[in-house]
Amino acid sequence: MEIKMMVNDKSITDNIAPDLLLIDFLRKHGFYSVKRGCDTANCGLCTVLMEDKPILSCSFLAVRANGKHVITLEGMQLEAEVFGRFMAGEGAEQCGFCSPGFIMSVLSMEKEFAQRGMMEPTEEEINKYLSGNLCRCTGYMSHIRAITKYLKRQVD
């Protein structure tokens, strides 16, 4: 089955099996920031943006992305570097395995909160948005501090 999608503003056309997962499609085409973790849609490592909304590519058929625009961490390098400095500054960057999916979720959250005029969300609102992202190294407090400071930079 032939599909066509935009990935990070690059048009990709490919013949795929109908059961190919989006994570496998993306990795096949060189987007290695998309990581496989649990394969059960529970850890968030495989998070990408499709039409600016976060999805878990390990449980999403590639055929469903036909005609859509998908963004991986490679397509958000500058934004990721800015937020990454906040994570490192708060000690939230330890092994780094969860970082690509986590960063994608935070950048999506930033856009969504900005659209709703919420540049200073509560800790509860942040936790709710990031509930599908697992980090095995930290207790998330450093993540929350990094996110809060990152979002606050827009207000200050």
Side-chain angles (χ1 to χ4, degrees):
M1 148 180 289
E2 184 175 280
I3 66 167
K4 182 178 182 177
M5 71 178 81
M6 294 292 288
V7 180
N8 303 334
D9 295 322
K10 176 184 173 189
S11 180
I12 299 175
T13 302
D14 198 356
N15 279 314
I16 64 166
D19 63 346
L20 182 70
L21 294 172
L22 184 57
I23 188 173
D24 297 319
F25 178 89
L26 292 169
R27 291 185 63 79
K28 174 185 173 186
H29 290 280
F31 302 101
Y32 299 117
S33 70
V34 185
K35 297 194 183 204
R36 175 169 267 114
C38 66
D39 276 333
T40 59
N42 287 308
C43 71
L45 267 64
C46 66
T47 302
V48 297
L49 304 183
M50 187 171 74
E51 304 298 332
D52 289 327
K53 299 289 182 202
I55 63 164
L56 300 173
S57 63
C58 77
S59 61
F60 196 90
L61 292 173
V63 71
R64 291 183 60 204
N66 188 29
K68 307 281 187 192
H69 188 189
V70 175
I71 302 173
T72 68
L73 190 60
E74 288 92 347
M76 301 186 82
Q77 223 33 57
L78 295 175
E79 299 95 327
E81 287 176 18
V82 172
F83 177 63
R85 285 192 287 276
F86 282 85
M87 283 186 63
E90 292 301 320
E93 183 71 7
Q94 291 187 22
C95 84
F97 191 69
C98 69
S99 295
F102 188 83
I103 291 170
M104 292 301 292
S105 293
V106 169
L107 296 176
S108 175
M109 177 182 63
E110 176 186 27
K111 284 182 186 179
E112 184 178 322
F113 284 176
Q115 288 171 349
R116 295 189 331 208
M118 294 175 51
M119 290 317 294
E120 294 191 67
T122 66
E123 186 174 326
E124 183 179 327
E125 290 164 326
I126 293 170
N127 284 332
K128 184 177 178 185
Y129 197 94
L130 299 174
S131 64
N133 292 88
L134 297 179
C135 175
R136 292 179 175 104
C137 297
T138 71
Y140 295 100
M141 294 312 299
S142 55
H143 286 88
I144 298 300
R145 285 192 310 270
I147 292 167
T148 302
K149 288 181 180 180
Y150 174 73
L151 295 175
K152 191 172 168 64
R153 86 190 192 296
Q154 301 288 358
V155 178
D156 289 341

